[in-house]
């Protein structure tokens, strides 16, 4: 089962609200049939499989996003989180979340550069656009230090700067340009279905691998 969920509370890292794609393993495994004496070990085997998926799913989601989006992996990882789903005494699955509160800065997409008309950028592979009137600049962080590079645009009336190189001077404010959020990337097109299929496949393969390993063990004398 695949479900998009909106949470009203989130961590500081993920913003105030996050959209997630949840993966419920119920009904996904065919190995439950004809287990005989091993049936009582299936919940334990499934939990081991879920822990394996917990490590692998974020990697597969990042790779799937990068096949479409022209962005480095670290930016995706910073805006994504995975959590276990508790189901009674055992783990019931995992849920993958992407940040919803703010998108990825335009300057973080590969190949973003300053051109005469503005900022040239490429969110999707093979598609390039120009954001006219924008320019690249490093914004100030705390204590006047230069921060990350952003695509920005001036707006509104001039105001007196309170800090930085232009302190005391009148300048226009800067608006940072953002594009898609990781939550939108996760929920786009058939990506939820692909990740759900991947999850079911990993869970089944992992349980079957553990069963095969268990059956190869020599029996006690």
């Amino acid at each position: 089962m695949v479900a998009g969920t909106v949470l009203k509370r989130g961590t500081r890292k993920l913003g105030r609200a996050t959209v997630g794609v949840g993966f419920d393993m119920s009904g996904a495994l065919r190995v439950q049939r004809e287990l005989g004496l091993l049936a009582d070990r299936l919940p334990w085997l499934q939990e081991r499989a879920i822990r394996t998926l917990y490590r692998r799913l974020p990697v597969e989601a990042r790779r799937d996003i990068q096949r479409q989006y022209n962005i480095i992996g670290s930016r995706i990882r910073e805006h994504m989180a995975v959590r276990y789903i508790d189901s009674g005494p055992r783990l019931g699955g995992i849920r993958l979340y992407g940040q919803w509160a703010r998108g990825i800065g335009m300057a973080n997409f590969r190949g973003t550069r300053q051109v005469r008309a503005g900022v040239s950028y490429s969110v999707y592979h093979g598609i390039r656009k120009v954001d006219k009137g924008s320019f690249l600049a490093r914004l100030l962080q705390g204590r006047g230090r230069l921060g990350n590079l952003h695509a920005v645009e001036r707006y509104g009336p001039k105001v007196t700067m309170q800090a930085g190189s232009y302190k005391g001077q009148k300048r226009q404010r800067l608006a940072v340009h953002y594009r898609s959020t990781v939550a939108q990337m996760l929920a786009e097109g058939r990506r939820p279905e692909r990740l759900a299929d991947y999850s079911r496949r990993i869970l089944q393969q992992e349980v079957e691998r553990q069963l095969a390993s268990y059956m190869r063990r020599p029996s006690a004398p």
Side-chain angles (χ1 to χ4, degrees):
M1 180 179 67
V2 183
T5 59
V6 178
L7 304 183
K8 297 303 181 183
R9 293 186 300 175
T11 64
R12 182 179 302 177
K13 176 182 177 181
L14 295 178
R16 294 182 179 177
T18 58
V19 170
V21 180
F23 300 91
D24 186 344
M25 66 179 295
S26 176
L29 302 173
R30 296 194 301 269
V31 296
Q32 298 185 35
R33 302 174 184 175
E34 301 177 359
L35 286 177
L37 295 177
L38 289 178
D40 61 336
R41 296 188 63 83
L42 183 61
W44 180 81
L45 297 176
Q46 287 180 342
E47 184 168 302
R48 292 280 300 272
I50 290 173
R51 294 186 184 279
T52 297
L53 182 62
Y54 179 92
R55 298 190 301 270
R56 295 187 182 181
L57 183 59
V59 177
E60 177 63 20
R62 186 222 358 122
R63 289 173 176 171
D64 195 278
I65 289 173
Q66 285 185 293
R67 294 185 190 106
Q68 179 185 15
Y69 285 87
N70 195 18
I71 189 171
I72 60 176
S74 60
R75 288 303 179 191
I76 299 174
R77 289 191 293 268
E78 289 174 1
H79 291 243
M80 191 164 59
V82 61
R83 298 288 185 267
Y84 286 115
I85 300 173
D86 292 326
S87 179
R90 296 288 183 181
L91 296 177
I94 65 173
R95 182 164 288 120
L96 192 65
Y97 297 109
Q99 185 190 63
W100 177 260
R102 189 177 68 185
I104 302 293
M106 185 191 296
N108 291 303
F109 292 91
R110 288 193 181 99
T112 299
R113 58 181 181 267
Q114 185 75 56
V115 296
R116 182 173 297 180
V119 173
S120 175
Y121 67 99
S122 176
V123 173
Y124 301 99
H125 290 295
I127 301 176
R128 180 163 291 277
K129 298 181 179 180
V130 175
D131 196 46
K132 296 182 178 180
S134 300
F135 60 96
L136 296 177
R138 291 193 179 276
L139 302 185
L140 293 176
Q141 291 182 331
R143 300 180 180 179
R145 294 178 298 176
L146 288 176
N148 297 326
L149 185 69
H150 286 282
V152 299
E153 184 176 8
R154 293 188 177 94
Y155 73 96
K158 291 184 178 181
V159 296
T160 302
M161 297 290 102
Q162 302 300 318
S165 302
Y166 300 105
K167 182 177 181 180
Q169 300 181 27
K170 287 194 172 183
R171 310 279 293 187
Q172 284 182 295
R173 296 184 185 276
L174 298 178
V176 178
H177 288 195
Y178 297 96
R179 288 301 178 262
S180 301
T181 67
V182 170
Q184 291 170 325
M185 294 176 183
L186 283 173
E188 186 171 357
R190 294 189 56 80
R191 184 163 293 116
E193 287 80 3
R194 289 197 299 272
L195 294 179
D197 289 342
Y198 173 85
S199 299
R200 284 188 286 266
R201 186 167 64 253
I202 292 299
L203 288 170
Q204 180 172 321
Q205 291 175 354
E206 184 63 15
V207 170
E208 289 176 343
R209 184 192 66 79
Q210 293 181 67
L211 282 173
S213 177
Y214 186 85
M215 296 298 291
R216 287 195 299 268
R217 295 178 183 176
S219 57

